[in-house]
C-alpha cells in the first residue's frame, strides 16, 4: 500500500493527544477524523508532521561539501544522504554548503541540482539550499571551522553564479553583516525572496541593528560560531537575542549549548526559535574514531558528541539527527514534546515560507509515526511518510 492512491493511518495526534484516523489521498492529507477501536499496535503510535531541517552538511557518511571529487559520486552522495536523513524523520531539509573556493561551491550547487533533477524523492525533500559562507567573519572563534583562505566580502555577481548552478534553490544565506557590502547584499537577498541570516559574526550592536533593518530575519546557530570569551556586555550574542526582528536557530544536540542557554534563548525568542541539526557527515554513524579531511582525527561518542580525538574539549561538529535535537530540547526545557517538535516543523516552515511542517487537511502527507516513551522522554520512529509514500523504519 506504500504507493496506494488512498489509505488511512491511525494513531494519536501529537498536538491533541486524541486518537485519529488520517486519510491520505494522492500524497495529501484528505481528512483527519476522530477514531476509536484501536488495536494494540495503533494504541501506542503517535502521529506528527515530518521534521524540517534548515542546516545539514552531511549524514550517514555522505558529505555535501566534498572537494576534488568527480560530479557522479557527489550526486550519489546527495541522493543517498537524503534517504538516510528521511529515515530519521526529517522529511524536508536544506542541504548546507559552507565556505570553500568558488569552483568547489559551484560543484556542490550543481551536484544538488542534478540530484534533484534525477531523483524525485530528493527533489521533494530539498525545499531550498542554505549557503553558509563564504561571506563570514575571518576572526578565529566567529569563523568556526570555515577555512580562512576562502572567507571574503559579499559579491552579488559571484553569488548569482552559484544560484544559477543550483537551479535557483538557494533560499537561505548566512553572512556576517560587518563585512563591507553586507548590508546592500542583504537588501539584494530580500529583493530576491532569499532569507538572510546573521551568523559566524563579530558584529557590533549597531551592525546587527542595520542587518535587521535591511531585512535579515534570522541568527544562524545563535551561541555557536563565537569567541570562547566575550566582553560581558554588550556583545553580539546579547544584541542578537535582543533584536526582535531576528529569529534564531540553535543546535540543541546536548553538546553545543548548555541547557540554561537553550532556556534563555527559548524564553526570549518564543515562537521565533528554530532547531537545526547542523549535522556533519559522521552523524548517524556508529561511535568510534574517524579520520576526516578537514578536522583530522575525530571521535564520535555514544552520546552523539563529536570531538577532536587529541583534544576532547573541542567539538568537531554536530553529529545527531534533528529528531535527537527535538528530544534534547524536550528534556532540557522540561517542556512537552509537541512544543519541542514545533520548533522543527511549523516554525522553520513559517520563517522560510514553506507549506510543509503542518498536519492539516490539504497539506502534503509528510508525517511521522512513532512510539513515545514518556518515562525516558524518548521517541522511536516507526514510519515516515513523504508525500504519502510510506517508508517503514522498524
Ligand atoms: Zn556554522
Amino acid at each position: 500500500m506504500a504507493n496506494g492512491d488512498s489509505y488511512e493511518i491511525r494513531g494519536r495526534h501529537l498536538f491533541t493527544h486524541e486518537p485519529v484516523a488520517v486519510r491520505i489521498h494522492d500524497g495529501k492529507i484528505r481528512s483527519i477524523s476522530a477514531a476509536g477501536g484501536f488495536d494494540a499496535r495503533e494504541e501506542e503510535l503517535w502521529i506528527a508532521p515530518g521534521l524540517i531541517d534548515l542546516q545539514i552538511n552531511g549524514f550517514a557518511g555522505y558529505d555535501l561539501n566534498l572537494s576534488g571529487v568527480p560530479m557522479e559520486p557527489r550526486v550519489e552522495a546527495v541522493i543517498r544522504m537524503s534517504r538516510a536523513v528521511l529515515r530519521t524523520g526529517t522529511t524536508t531539509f536544506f542541504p548546507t554548503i559552507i565556505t570553500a573556493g568558488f569552483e568547489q561551491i559551484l560543484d556542490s550547487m550543481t551536484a544538488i541540482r542534478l540530484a534533484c533533477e534525477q531523483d524525485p524523492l530528493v527533489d521533494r525533500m530539498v525545499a531550498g539550499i542554505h549557503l553558509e559562507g563564504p561571506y563570514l567573519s575571518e576572526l578565529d572563534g566567529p569563523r568556526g571551522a570555515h577555512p580562512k583562505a576562502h572567507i571574503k566580502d559579499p559579491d552579488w555577481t559571484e553569488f548569482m553564479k552559484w544560484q544559477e548552478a543550483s537551479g535557483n534553490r538557494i533560499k537561505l544565506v548566512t553572512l556576517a553583516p560587518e563585512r563591507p557590502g553586507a548590508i546592500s547584499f542583504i537588501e539584494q537577498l530580500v529583493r530576491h525572496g532569499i532569507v538572510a541570516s546573521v551568523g559566524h559574526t563579530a558584529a557590533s550592536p549597531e551592525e546587527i541593528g542595520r542587518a535587521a533593518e535591511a531585512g535579515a530575519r534570522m541568527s544562524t546557530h545563535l551561541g555557536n560560531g563565537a569567541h570562547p570569551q566575550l566582553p560581558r556586555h554588550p556583545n553580539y550574542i546579547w544584541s542578537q537575542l535582543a533584536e526582535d526582528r531576528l529569529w534564531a536557530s540553535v543546535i540543541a544536540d546536548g553538546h553545543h549549548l548548555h541547557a540554561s542557554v537553550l532556556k534563555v534563548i527559548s524564553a526570549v525568542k518564543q515562537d521565533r526559535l528554530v532547531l537545526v541539526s547542523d549535522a556533519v557527515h559522521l552523524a548517524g554513524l556508529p561511535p568510534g574514531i574517524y579520520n576526516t579531511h578537514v578536522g583530522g582525527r575525530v571521535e564520535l561518542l555514544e552520546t552523539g558528541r563529536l570531538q577532536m580525538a587529541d583534544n576532547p574539549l573541542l567539538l568537531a561538529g554536530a553529529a545527531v539527527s534533528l529528531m535527537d535535537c527535538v528530544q534534547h530540547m524536550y528534556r532540557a526545557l522540561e517542556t512537552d514534546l509537541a512544543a519541542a517538535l514545533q520548533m522543527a516543523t511549523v516554525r522553520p516552515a513559517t520563517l522560510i515560507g514553506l507549506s510543509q511542517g503542518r498536519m492539516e487537511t490539504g497539506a502534503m502527507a509528510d508525517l511521522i509515526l512513532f512510539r513515545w516513551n514518556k518515562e525516558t522522554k524518548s521517541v522511536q520512529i516507526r514510519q515516515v511518510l513523504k508525500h504519502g509514500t510510506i517508508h517503514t523504519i522498524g
Side-chain angles (χ1 to χ4, degrees):
M1 100 175 168
N3 287 304
D5 275 333
S6 189
Y7 63 92
E8 202 171 79
I9 55 167
R10 292 151 67 87
R12 271 178 209 281
H13 194 307
L14 182 65
F15 301 131
T16 65
H17 288 213
E18 298 297 327
V20 290
V22 181
R23 177 144 293 276
I24 316 280
H25 182 77
D26 255 355
K28 290 185 177 165
I29 298 174
R30 168 160 279 188
S31 63
I32 303 175
S33 52
F38 275 17
D39 63 28
R41 183 184 158 277
E42 290 165 345
E43 192 62 47
E44 57 181 27
L45 278 181
W46 292 79
I47 308 178
L51 308 189
I52 301 171
D53 197 339
L54 298 182
Q55 194 162 357
I56 300 188
N57 309 283
F59 199 79
Y62 303 108
D63 196 343
L64 298 177
N65 289 280
L66 292 166
S67 63
V69 175
M71 193 49 71
E72 204 175 315
R74 296 179 76 112
V75 174
E76 192 66 22
V78 180
I79 291 172
R80 288 177 184 267
M81 193 206 84
S82 302
R83 282 173 169 69
V85 164
L86 185 69
R87 296 178 63 80
T88 66
T90 295
T91 48
T92 299
F93 74 100
F94 277 42
T96 300
I97 302 307
I98 67 161
T99 303
F102 174 79
E103 292 295 335
Q104 191 186 322
I105 293 180
L106 197 72
D107 285 351
S108 299
M109 293 297 171
T110 304
I112 294 166
R113 175 176 56 78
L114 291 174
C116 289
E117 287 170 2
Q118 289 172 22
D119 191 306
L121 177 61
V122 177
D123 195 38
R124 290 178 191 135
M125 291 184 73
V126 173
I129 294 174
H130 181 171
L131 176 64
E132 191 196 25
Y135 314 134
L136 308 176
S137 168
E138 76 279 9
L139 298 177
D140 289 347
R143 183 166 51 84
H146 290 252
K148 195 171 188 170
H150 297 301
I151 297 281
K152 60 200 295 271
D153 293 336
D155 177 337
W156 187 257
T157 308
E158 174 183 70
F159 170 76
M160 285 309 283
K161 286 177 187 157
W162 294 330
Q163 178 67 311
E164 195 183 330
S166 77
N168 275 321
R169 285 180 174 81
I170 303 174
K171 292 202 178 135
L172 174 61
V173 175
T174 294
L175 77 169
E178 68 271 28
R179 291 213 76 98
I183 299 300
S184 62
F185 190 86
I186 291 170
E187 289 166 348
Q188 284 273 56
L189 290 173
V190 172
R191 272 198 285 279
H192 283 74
I194 298 165
V195 174
S197 186
V198 174
H200 290 279
T201 178
S204 67
E206 293 72 26
E207 287 161 340
I208 286 164
R210 279 200 285 277
E213 194 61 44
R217 300 207 38 223
M218 186 174 97
S219 293
T220 294
H221 52 54
L222 187 57
N224 295 112
H227 290 96
Q229 286 171 345
L230 282 173
R232 68 193 190 286
H233 53 71
N235 65 48
Y236 48 78
I237 295 178
W238 285 114
S239 304
Q240 290 178 81
L241 269 174
E243 178 49 75
D244 289 337
R245 290 170 288 188
L246 296 179
W247 291 50
S249 73
V250 289
I251 309 168
D253 64 347
H255 309 291
H256 278 74
L257 293 173
H258 191 268
S260 61
V261 180
L262 290 172
K263 193 171 176 182
V264 168
I265 296 177
S266 173
V268 171
K269 295 296 178 180
Q270 299 188 24
D271 56 4
R272 288 165 292 129
L273 179 60
V274 168
L275 305 185
V276 293
S277 72
D278 199 12
V280 300
H281 71 287
L282 295 174
L285 292 183
I289 302 267
Y290 293 91
N291 280 305
T292 66
H293 58 96
V294 255
R297 260 163 47 90
V298 300
E299 183 172 15
L300 178 60
L301 306 184
E302 190 79 49
T303 59
R305 182 183 171 90
L306 183 65
Q307 59 194 25
M308 302 305 294
D310 302 322
N311 188 354
L313 290 177
L314 283 186
L315 288 174
V320 299
S321 74
L322 188 57
M323 195 57 178
D324 291 320
C325 296
V326 167
Q327 292 170 78
H328 178 72
M329 203 68 177
Y330 163 41
R331 295 180 204 120
L333 259 55
E334 297 174 41
T335 180
D336 58 68
L337 178 61
L341 193 114
Q342 282 179 332
M343 298 172 196
T345 52
V346 68
R347 301 278 169 69
T350 304
L351 170 66
I352 303 288
L354 305 174
S355 60
Q356 292 91 333
R358 294 166 179 88
M359 182 169 156
E360 58 194 25
T361 303
M364 292 310 297
D366 287 3
L367 300 169
I368 51 175
L369 277 80
F370 58 93
R371 284 187 179 159
W372 177 9
N373 185 330
K374 292 182 183 173
E375 301 280 300
T376 59
K377 293 192 168 184
S378 59
V379 306
Q380 190 189 11
I381 293 180
R382 307 313 303 264
Q383 287 186 329
V384 180
L385 275 68
K386 181 62 190 175
H387 286 200
T389 300
I390 297 176
H391 304 262
T392 297
I393 311 304

